[in-house]
Structure formats: structure tokens, C-alpha cells
């Protein structure tokens, strides 16, 4: 089992990372600001344009430490990787399954089933815990609609139809997302999902967290020897980690979305956490990113019981466990891919 160690987040925009012996050194204007032992890190995510030294990138690749580069606003740019891990036979199986619509749909529908199932229970949790503060009837209707989609998803054999069902579920879910927000209104009002660019504070945090979660899913897939760029639900596109996007679908509602709701409803984020521009674009400020990342690391250390394995694990290991289960299914060690079903 992969140990859940620390992820080093570099949020200052002009930090240059280098290697000194066995330490990662953060430099600003050629002055050392901090250093961290490389062996204690699981990954490094840099939100700086300054980059990192070739020596550090090589050391990270050699030690299987994930090193990813994002823009200061959270958009993924690139990642360093070393030698491919895992069995080449596993990747060849993955490619064959991805090219065959039937087997690909069998995996994809379980992932979509997990997404809709978890979205429904996210709604149910809000309805149960805050029944006097929300429109319980509206949430019940949305929950029932999502519940009705589950049998259709479980039987679907067409990828195009499956994508239609996934889209229908997302429309219902985000249609009541504002009801689950109990924090300051109208600052945290949510009307619709806006991605590039986000047009309100809620979308700004969602987009940022989805980028972080996607990066975690890429690392998880690479750790078990799968190709993160070849998916089953998301089709191939140059530069897109399609399988990571597949894997994160079932984790969005329970891991990312509930985390965002917690930050807002507990008033951890304020107006000062955002950069609201004249053209309507809303982005996380430097302090906002630091706040989100600090609490994200704490969230990943929280313990849950995995619904399939029935073992206690940290939340941060969920993508790795799901990647491992997917690899086992492709090796025919499992009869089906078991999605993460949270409740």
C-alpha cells in the first residue's frame, strides 16, 4: 500500500525549485526561503512560472515523487515522469479495452454509476443535516431523480447514451447545488457550472479543486502502471489525461464538492479569498489558494472505511485504491470494476 506522505504545494508565483543533496530548496531572487527532505514527499505541485531545476526533476522521477506544474490560478500545465511503471501487458490490455466500445462501456458505466450515486448521497446528507435551512422538497425531488437514473446507467451498453445519462445527472445535481450552500449569500450563490473562466467564487474553488484532484488521479494511475491518457468514458485527445478524468468522476461529489461545501459553509473562505475582476472572472487569490490547500491536506488525512475493501484508509489514498482496483479488473482478477460508493 502506498503511504500517504506530504505533498509540497508551492503557491508563491516566483519560486524556483532546486535540489541540494537530498533536499528540495525553494529559492526566490536567488535566496533560499525553505528546504524540505525529498524522501518525505509524495508529490510536489508548483503554481509558479519559474519552474524547477533539471536535477530536481530527475531526482523526482527516479524516486517516484510526482512533480506537477500549474499556472498560479490552478490550470494544469505539465508534469515530470520517469520510466513507465507497471507491466506492459497491463497497458496493452488497457489499450485494447479502450478501443472496444463494449468493454469500455462496462468500465465507464460503473464510474458514472459511482458519480451519480455519490451525488445523490451528497444531496441526502445536506437534506438530513440541515432540513430546517434548505428546501427539503426540492432536494428530495433531485435525489429521487438521481436514484431513478441509476438502474438505467447500470444497464447501458452505449457510450454515447451513457454520456447523455451522465450529463442529465450532472444537470439535476448542479441544479440544486445552491441549496447545499449555507454560507454567505450572495457571495457564494451558485447558478450554473462555469469553467473557463469561472464566473463566481463557488466555480473558482470547484475548478481549482478539480485540477488538484485530477493531478492526484494521474499520480494514482501511474503508480499502478496504467496510462493516464487513455480513457474509457473520456475519449483520446492530445494532452488530456482522459483516464484520470474518468477516475475522478466518481470522486467529484464526495471528495471535491463536499470539501468545497465545507469550506464555504464553515466560513473558512471569505471575500478576501478571491480576486474578482472587472470582466466578471473570479479567481482564487494567493491567500485563498493557501487556505484551500492547507485544508485539502488535512482533508486527505481524514480516515474512512473503504466501501468495497471494508478497510480504514485515509481519504488521500482513495484515488490510489480505485486505480489499483481498476488494474486488477483489467488483469481479470476481479469480475467488474467496483466504483467508490460513498454514503
Amino acid at each position: 500500500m502506498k503511504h500517504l506522505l506530504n505533498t509540497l504545494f508551492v503557491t508563491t508565483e516566483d519560486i524556483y525549485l532546486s535540489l541540494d543533496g537530498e533536499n528540495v530548496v525553494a529559492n526566490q531572487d536567488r535566496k533560499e526561503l525553505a528546504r524540505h527532505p525529498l524522501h518525505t514527499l509524495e508529490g510536489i505541485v508548483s503554481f509558479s512560472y519559474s519552474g524547477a531545476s533539471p536535477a530536481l526533476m530527475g531526482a523526482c522521477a527516479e524516486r517516484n515523487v510526482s512533480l506537477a506544474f500549474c499556472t498560479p490560478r490552478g490550470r494544469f500545465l505539465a508534469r515530470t515522469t520517469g520510466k513507465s511503471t507497471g507491466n506492459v501487458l497491463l497497458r496493452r490490455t488497457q489499450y485494447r479495452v479502450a478501443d472496444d466500445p463494449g468493454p469500455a462501456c462496462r468500465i465507464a458505466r460503473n464510474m458514472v454509476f459511482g458519480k451519480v450515486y455519490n451525488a445523490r448521497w451528497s444531496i441526502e446528507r445536506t437534506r438530513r443535516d440541515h432540513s430546517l435551512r434548505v428546501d427539503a422538497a426540492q432536494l428530495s425531488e433531485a435525489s429521487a431523480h438521481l436514484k431513478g437514473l441509476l438502474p438505467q446507467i447500470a444497464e447501458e451498453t452505449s457510450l454515447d447514451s451513457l454520456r447523455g445519462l451522465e450529463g442529465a445527472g450532472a444537470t439535476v445535481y448542479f441544479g440544486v447545488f445552491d441549496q447545499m450552500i449555507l454560507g454567505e449569500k450572495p457571495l457564494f450563490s451558485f447558478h450554473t457550472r462555469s469553467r473557463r473562466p469561472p464566473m463566481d467564487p463557488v466555480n473558482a474553488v470547484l475548478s481549482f479543486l478539480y485540477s488538484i484532484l485530477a493531478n492526484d488521479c494521474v499520480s494514482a494511475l501511474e503508480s499502478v502502471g496504467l496510462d493516464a491518457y487513455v480513457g474509457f468514458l473520456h475519449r483520446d485527445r492530445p494532452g488530456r489525461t482522459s483516464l484520470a478524468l474518468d477516475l475522478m468522476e466518481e470522486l467529484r461529489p464526495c471528495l471535491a464538492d463536499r470539501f468545497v461545501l465545507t469550506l464555504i459553509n464553515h466560513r473558512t473562505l471569505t471575500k478576501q479569498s478571491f480576486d474578482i475582476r472587472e470582466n466578471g472572472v473570479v479567481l482564487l487569490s494567493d491567500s485563498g489558494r493557501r487556505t484551500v490547500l492547507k485544508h485539502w491536506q488535512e482533508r486527505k488525512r481524514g480516515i474512512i472505511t473503504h466501501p468495497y475493501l471494508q478497510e480504514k484508509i485515509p481519504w488521500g489514498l482513495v484515488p490510489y485504491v480505485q486505480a489499483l482496483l481498476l488494474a486488477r479488473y483489467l488483469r481479470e482478477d476481479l469480475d467488474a470494476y467496483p466504483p467508490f460508493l460513498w454514503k
Side-chain angles (χ1 to χ4, degrees), residues 106 110 308 325 329 334-338:
R106 283 194 287 274
N110 284 6
Y308 179 78
L325 292 173
Y329 168 69
L334 297 174
D335 293 333
Y337 166 71

Side-chain angles (χ1 to χ4, degrees), residues 193-266:
R193 184 79 178 98
S194 57
R195 298 170 176 81
R196 300 182 185 89
M199 302 302 291
D200 59 67
V202 179
N203 274 293
V205 188
L206 285 173
S207 293
F208 185 75
L209 257 296
Y210 288 165
S211 294
I212 299 300
L213 181 56
N215 182 66
D216 287 348
C217 288
V218 170
S219 297
L221 292 165
E222 290 179 349
S223 73
V224 300
L226 290 167
D227 188 335
Y229 288 85
V230 180
F232 306 112
L233 179 67
H234 293 83
R235 306 314 293 167
D236 295 350
R237 182 184 299 174
R240 182 169 76 174
T241 53
S242 296
L243 187 58
L245 298 180
D246 288 356
L247 186 66
M248 72 180 284
E249 288 293 353
E250 64 202 69
L251 304 180
R252 289 177 191 253
C254 55
L255 190 49
D257 297 352
R258 290 305 304 186
F259 174 71
V260 171
L261 290 171
T262 298
L263 290 179
I264 294 173
N265 293 342
H266 288 183

Side-chain angles (χ1 to χ4, degrees), residues 205 208-209 212 259-260 263 268-269 273-274 284 286-298:
V205 188
F208 185 75
L209 257 296
I212 299 300
F259 174 71
V260 171
L263 290 179
T268 304
L269 296 176
S273 303
F274 300 92
L284 279 165
D286 288 345
S287 63
R289 287 198 302 275
R290 286 193 292 270
T291 298
V292 170
L293 292 170
K294 173 180 177 291
H295 288 274
W296 178 247
Q297 285 296 87
E298 294 173 358

Side-chain angles (χ1 to χ4, degrees), residues 61-81:
E62 181 180 351
R63 293 165 175 77
N64 292 319
V65 176
S66 170
L67 174 57
F69 299 95
C70 301
T71 69
R73 302 307 179 190
R75 183 173 61 85
F76 176 78
L77 293 173
R79 60 185 293 110
T80 63
T81 58

Side-chain angles (χ1 to χ4, degrees), residues 41-54:
L41 298 177
E42 172 193 289
I44 302 171
V45 181
S46 173
F47 297 91
S48 169
Y49 283 124
S50 297
S53 70

